[in-house]
Amino acid sequence: MSARRWLPLIAACIGTFLLLTYATITTIAVPAIAVGLDGSTGAMSWVVDAYTLALAALLVGMGALGDAWGRKRLYICGLVVFLVATAVCAIAPDVTVLVVARGAQGIAGAAMFATLLPLLGDAYSGRDRHVAFAAWGAVAGLAAGIGNVAGGLLTQSFDWRAVFYFGIPVAAVALAMAVFCFADSERGDGNIDWAGIVLFTLAAVAAVLGVTWGGDIGWASSSTVLAFLIAIGALTAFVSWQRRGSSPMLDPALFRSLKFDGVLVAAFGYYLAAYGPLVVLSLWLQNGLELSASAAALVLSIQPLAFVFVSALCGSRLQRVDLRLSLGFGTVLCGIGCVATLYVLAEPVWPALIAGLILTGVGSAMVSPVLPGAAMSDAPAERAGTASATANSSRQFGLAVGIALCGSLFAGPDEFALLWPLVFCAGVGMLTGLVSILLFSRSSTPATVQPIAERAHT
């Protein structure tokens, strides 16, 4: 295959790296942003949460819109909005403008994230599709770890605004490549389940707000309880509507596949276990050990280095491995990595984190390259965008829940404050990994991503 043939993959990887890096790039920069804009602690949490909330809540709805309107069109619109919002973040005069712009980034990121995998599926077939999905998945998993590192290095070397200036040329390159490298995808029948999109988005927003507020102001607070009640009510109405609607946003048949359910469980669990603790680990390194932002970033870079090594060595081979090993055991390994990180309680020095960071890096490198193909392998081509968006939404919910709950369980700079966040993430990682293994074992279709390589374009 000529080098030109890989241009759609390169375009997709640049866009993916951009939108997922910005999910975590501000975490280490938050203290500097608070000083620069004189922001309160509560306001600073929204610099991170506004992006995560929008990205997680709108992914599935954007996937349905992309299937109906055309994926290339929606992806390019998302990139344009992302570019403008990033520029506004870079010059934001106060916290309010920054938070609003971060929310716009998240909305645009959801449009991009929901359409990238189907665009790749349209561009490649056969063995090339395996390679493309493996490379895309590796970049997607790597970006979350790189975000923390890049944020620390940029903040330390320049200032917090460099975190956003960095994204402007990257977004411009991604936009130019998208225009010329992606083919116009076929549009669906034009029937858009607006009621389903609204109900699902309401349920997702309320659920993420409930988790965030529970960590910030308490789980028994009226705001937290109300958010969860709204989430339950909206989700109940959504499920009822999907069963009765003629053109449902989420085809209920997808969830009758135990294989697809296992993918969703693994996506949630591995992302929570591998990346949820990074924020509190960063806080402990900076506040407990008094490391600089760049030094803390370099310590945390151990995880993406392990990820890169395993992805480069085994990424494409993992496409042919049983999902019980790649997704199931990989998620369990992320939980075991959190257990290994507990060694810091006995030796409160940064080298005590090395084993845990390596194990979570290896575990996530086993899951991430396989996840895209596994999510889409049993879905009909016209629903590919919605299926991949649902899996990615589950992954982002894992990150949102992990960050929020680890933050609420982290009580201070002392290393013993890491106990409960790490125990929580370890438990979730190992439990979801085992559940996914059970679901794959009971699936009526083979626990492999092999079918997608043979599925014809439709």
Side-chain angles (χ1 to χ4, degrees), residues 272-273 276-278 280-281 334-345 353 356 360 405-406 409-410 415-430:
L272 185 152
L278 292 184
V280 295
L281 290 177
C334 290
I336 293 173
C338 293
V339 174
T341 309
L342 288 169
Y343 181 61
V344 75
L345 302 181
L353 303 178
T360 54
L405 290 182
C406 284
L409 293 170
F410 183 73
E415 65 273 7
F416 288 99
L418 295 171
L419 172 62
W420 293 116
L422 291 172
V423 167
F424 165 73
C425 290
V428 171
M430 290 188 286

Side-chain angles (χ1 to χ4, degrees), residues 109-199:
M112 296 161 60
F113 206 12
T115 51
L116 276 166
L117 272 178
L119 285 170
L120 273 185
D122 291 340
Y124 300 101
S125 62
R127 181 180 179 278
D128 293 335
R129 189 184 290 184
H130 271 309
V131 175
F133 280 170
W136 184 92
V139 170
L142 177 64
I146 288 292
N148 290 286
V149 177
L153 294 176
L154 288 169
T155 301
Q156 186 75 23
S157 303
F158 303 100
D159 66 12
W160 68 266
R161 294 186 187 273
V163 166
F164 299 105
Y165 282 122
F166 159 78
I168 296 174
V170 179
V173 171
L175 179 59
M177 293 194 70
V179 171
F180 294 106
C181 296
F182 290 129
D184 291 317
S185 59
E186 294 183 7
R187 303 179 192 178
D189 56 14
N191 293 324
I192 300 174
D193 182 12
W194 290 109
I197 291 174
V198 170
L199 287 171

Side-chain angles (χ1 to χ4, degrees), residues 377-421:
S377 61
D378 287 346
E382 67 274 10
R383 294 286 186 179
T386 306
S388 64
T390 303
N392 284 326
S393 181
S394 181
R395 172 158 51 182
Q396 292 307 126
F397 271 117
L399 180 64
V401 170
I403 290 174
L405 290 182
C406 284
S408 68
L409 293 170
F410 183 73
D414 187 281
E415 65 273 7
F416 288 99
L418 295 171
L419 172 62
W420 293 116

Side-chain angles (χ1 to χ4, degrees), residues 76-400:
I76 289 175
C77 288
L79 259 174
V80 170
V81 174
F82 195 99
L83 175 59
V84 173
T86 303
V88 173
C89 288
I91 61 174
D94 54 50
V95 176
T96 301
V97 173
L98 179 59
V99 170
V100 171
R102 283 284 286 164
Q105 270 190 322
I107 294 171
M112 296 161 60
F113 206 12
T115 51
L116 276 166
L117 272 178
L119 285 170
L120 273 185
D122 291 340
Y124 300 101
S125 62
R127 181 180 179 278
D128 293 335
R129 189 184 290 184
H130 271 309
V131 175
F133 280 170
W136 184 92
V139 170
L142 177 64
I146 288 292
N148 290 286
V149 177
L153 294 176
L154 288 169
T155 301
Q156 186 75 23
S157 303
F158 303 100
D159 66 12
W160 68 266
R161 294 186 187 273
V163 166
F164 299 105
Y165 282 122
F166 159 78
I168 296 174
V170 179
V173 171
L175 179 59
M177 293 194 70
V179 171
F180 294 106
C181 296
F182 290 129
D184 291 317
S185 59
E186 294 183 7
R187 303 179 192 178
D189 56 14
N191 293 324
I192 300 174
D193 182 12
W194 290 109
I197 291 174
V198 170
L199 287 171
F200 183 87
T201 301
L202 177 60
V205 169
V208 176
L209 283 176
V211 172
T212 303
W213 286 340
D216 290 342
I217 61 179
W219 298 99
S221 69
S222 57
S223 297
T224 303
V225 172
L226 179 61
F228 282 126
L229 289 175
I230 292 173
I232 293 170
L235 183 60
T236 302
F238 171 77
V239 171
S240 176
W241 177 256
Q242 296 303 284
R243 288 177 174 174
R244 294 187 291 108
S246 58
S247 299
M249 181 186 84
L250 270 178
D251 187 348
L254 279 175
F255 297 95
R256 289 195 286 272
S257 166
L258 294 181
K259 178 179 172 182
F260 185 72
D261 295 337
V263 170
L264 297 185
V265 171
F268 177 89
Y270 103 91
Y271 225 50
L272 185 152
Y275 302 111
L278 292 184
V279 174
V280 295
L281 290 177
S282 172
L283 290 173
W284 176 70
L285 289 168
Q286 293 183 76
N287 299 332
L289 298 187
E290 298 183 350
L291 297 183
S292 65
S294 59
L298 288 174
V299 172
L300 297 180
S301 70
I302 294 169
Q303 186 192 64
L305 287 174
F307 183 101
V308 169
F309 178 79
V310 174
S311 294
L313 191 65
C314 307
S316 60
R317 294 184 180 91
L318 287 169
Q319 298 289 316
R320 298 184 292 274
V321 170
D322 192 300
L323 295 180
R324 286 171 290 190
L325 176 61
S326 58
L327 298 191
F329 180 70
T331 302
V332 171
L333 192 59
C334 290
I336 293 173
C338 293
V339 174
T341 309
L342 288 169
Y343 181 61
V344 75
L345 302 181
E347 295 288 340
V349 292
W350 71 261
L353 303 178
I354 292 176
L357 290 171
I358 290 175
L359 287 173
T360 54
V362 172
S364 57
M366 293 176 65
V367 177
S368 194
V370 180
L371 191 66
M376 297 170 62
S377 61
D378 287 346
E382 67 274 10
R383 294 286 186 179
T386 306
S388 64
T390 303
N392 284 326
S393 181
S394 181
R395 172 158 51 182
Q396 292 307 126
F397 271 117
L399 180 64

